[in-house]
Amino acid sequence: QNKNLGPMTSRKKFGIPWPECNDGLSYDDVVRASDAGATLIEFYSTKYKSSAPLQGWLQRIKSGQITVDGGVVTDSNTVLRVGSKLIYHRLPWKEPDAPHMIDVLYEDDDMIALNKPSGLQVLPGGLYQQRTILTQLQWEANNQGTCEMHKRLHPVPVHRLGRGTSGILLCAKTKLARARLASHFADGTSHVGGKRDTKQELGKIAKMYRALVSGIVENDKVTINQPIGIVKYPGVAKGLYVASESGKPALSVVDILETNIQENSTLVQVKIQSGRPHQIRIHLSFIGHPLLGDPLYGVGGQPKCLDCDFVDESFAEDGGYQRPTKPVPGDCGYYLHAHKLVLSHPTTNELIEIIAPLPSALHTAEEAKEIAIMQQTA
């Protein structure tokens, strides 16, 4: 039976405004035998060339950002010895704007479900090292600050949503809940395309999204099982996820809710069992209906711009590369909302349904009318 969405604490939202600059970062290395005899500049400019060009690394060394065995070294030709500890101190920087207030949709002793705003990254990466959901969860746990709290983990996200995607983000409060929820998500993904044991129910988690896509989708229902793989892409160190025959299986079931001939757009509901990165954006663009306003994916489940291998050699203040000029996965502008999550509770196995209220752009005409009536009567 479905569990109601209590118990909610009186705290319905949390968030601390972001400081002007973050605290910078430190990256540690220990010199291995294979690197002994190399100079400081050789070590950094070959090992970490995706972080900065040669001139950028020279600048970082000159400005005292690198220590060897605890002492600042500004001579780039210093020869390295086996076992030496190197630390590169990345200077604090002002991260791009991001929302900081987060609504709580559900909370109990094992987990917390948040309503992630569009524009807020889940985990640190790229230019966003501090302005993330993870940081706000840490700050909130410290705020609650009893000794009891410090013995426990602060809640951690068990899956990801793209920076531009809004809606339900599930976080675990205990190690056990974290392991079980992570396996729910992994199971759903691994069952797709594999041979399922027919006695087993269909996964322990189901995710429903709302999205606004470009063009008019003709069918009432579309099932997409296009595999998703990775290609090299400038500005994305680990590569970009795209529709690819040699990729991993992925399954999305799309229901058409409403078409808008005037705007040439379609409002859809997408149910996914698997959770490949950017799956919905890739799948909908694969069938010729990219998300309205998606800066990255074009028709066919590929990036709009793949042939631009041009690398900008100019570098930013801290010696690193400039932000890529081409669209990257975190860029916002599209409407995609994780609207509903049905899952088996990690410790009680009860079936729980969590709903994140829809942004107004994703309401059907009928829903918008109902809301307007409710507001008038209120």
Side-chain angles (χ1 to χ4, degrees):
Q1 125 227 1
N2 279 20
K3 181 176 183 179
N4 190 359
L5 289 197
M8 267 303 310
T9 52
S10 56
R11 172 175 63 87
K12 286 276 167 66
K13 53 171 61 189
F14 65 95
I16 296 170
W18 305 115
E20 181 70 12
C21 280
N22 61 25
D23 301 328
L25 283 174
S26 292
Y27 298 91
D28 300 18
D29 276 290
V30 174
V31 179
R32 294 184 179 170
S34 55
D35 294 313
T39 62
L40 197 57
I41 186 62
E42 283 167 351
F43 179 87
Y44 278 105
S45 62
T46 54
K47 231 180 179 52
Y48 299 109
K49 50 173 177 277
S50 66
S51 163
L54 179 77
Q55 291 308 87
W57 277 114
L58 285 169
Q59 177 186 311
R60 290 169 173 182
I61 294 168
K62 272 203 193 98
S63 59
Q65 288 174 251
I66 291 170
T67 58
V68 179
D69 295 326
V72 173
V73 174
T74 53
D75 177 3
S76 57
N77 291 319
T78 302
V79 176
L80 300 176
R81 292 198 306 265
V82 175
S84 280
K85 190 175 181 197
L86 308 181
I87 302 178
Y88 155 54
H89 300 271
R90 186 172 171 187
L91 300 173
W93 71 95
K94 184 183 186 324
E95 299 186 12
D97 289 340
H100 68 274
M101 289 305 293
I102 303 165
D103 289 316
V104 177
L105 299 168
Y106 171 83
E107 182 167 14
D108 61 27
D109 291 340
D110 298 289
M111 62 184 198
I112 178 170
L114 307 176
N115 188 4
K116 182 183 100 60
S118 172
L120 181 56
Q121 194 153 299
V122 175
L123 300 177
L127 291 175
Y128 295 90
Q129 293 294 327
Q130 183 181 58
R131 298 185 179 195
T132 65
I133 295 249
L134 190 64
T135 305
Q136 290 291 355
L137 286 168
Q138 281 167 339
W139 288 350
E140 180 61 12
N142 292 342
N143 257 358
Q144 308 273 306
T146 60
C147 296
E148 269 316 281
M149 278 298 295
H150 281 296
K151 285 181 195 156
R152 298 174 58 187
L153 290 171
H154 64 81
V156 286
V158 291
H159 62 118
R160 293 194 195 193
L161 293 177
R163 192 183 328 139
T165 307
S166 55
I168 303 165
L169 180 75
L170 213 49
C171 305
K173 292 167 102 173
T174 65
K175 282 184 176 167
L176 178 67
R178 184 181 181 176
R180 290 208 173 139
L181 290 169
S183 87
H184 287 1
F185 279 99
D187 280 356
T189 299
S190 66
H191 284 153
V192 172
K195 289 190 171 65
R196 181 191 300 286
D197 176 355
T198 48
K199 285 180 290 220
Q200 186 178 358
E201 81 281 24
L202 186 80
K204 300 227 170 169
I205 211 150
K207 294 169 281 184
M208 304 278 220
Y209 288 74
R210 280 269 178 114
L212 196 56
V213 303
S214 52
I216 304 298
V217 183
E218 298 300 338
N219 310 10
D220 289 345
K221 198 184 192 88
V222 186
T223 299
I224 309 164
N225 55 11
Q226 168 63 32
I228 291 173
I230 296 183
V231 294
K232 269 186 152 168
Y233 186 79
V236 184
K238 291 176 180 165
L240 181 71
Y241 287 89
V242 296
S244 156
E245 284 314 318
S246 60
K248 293 181 173 172
L251 178 69
S252 304
V253 179
V254 183
D255 282 294
I256 309 314
L257 300 178
E258 205 165 74
T259 55
N260 186 329
I261 306 286
Q262 248 173 322
E263 304 278 328
N264 190 32
S265 65
T266 305
L267 183 64
V268 298
Q269 173 180 284
V270 187
K271 184 176 180 183
I272 61 173
Q273 189 76 37
S274 54
R276 305 286 173 213
H278 316 305
Q279 176 174 326
I280 293 175
R281 294 168 69 187
I282 294 167
H283 271 179
L284 286 162
S285 74
F286 178 74
I287 61 163
H289 297 282
L291 266 57
L292 203 62
D294 191 334
L296 178 62
Y297 291 104
V299 172
Q302 302 296 324
K304 295 175 180 176
C305 171
L306 235 195
D307 48 355
C308 356
D309 281 335
F310 160 74
V311 173
D312 185 356
E313 276 294 334
S314 67
F315 47 94
E317 254 169 88
D318 77 330
Y321 288 107
Q322 294 285 10
R323 194 190 170 293
T325 45
K326 280 174 293 309
V328 291
D331 293 344
C332 305
Y334 55 89
Y335 284 103
L336 177 60
H337 182 74
H339 175 43
K340 192 161 141 188
L341 187 67
V342 181
L343 77 149
S344 173
H345 190 279
T347 57
T348 66
N349 279 331
E350 278 176 285
L351 205 59
I352 295 187
E353 182 178 87
I354 300 168
I355 291 176
L358 291 160
S360 54
L362 296 177
H363 288 142
T364 61
E366 195 56 43
E367 287 165 342
K369 205 186 296 174
E370 277 171 28
I371 289 165
I373 292 167
M374 273 162 59
Q375 284 169 344
Q376 278 168 0
T377 53

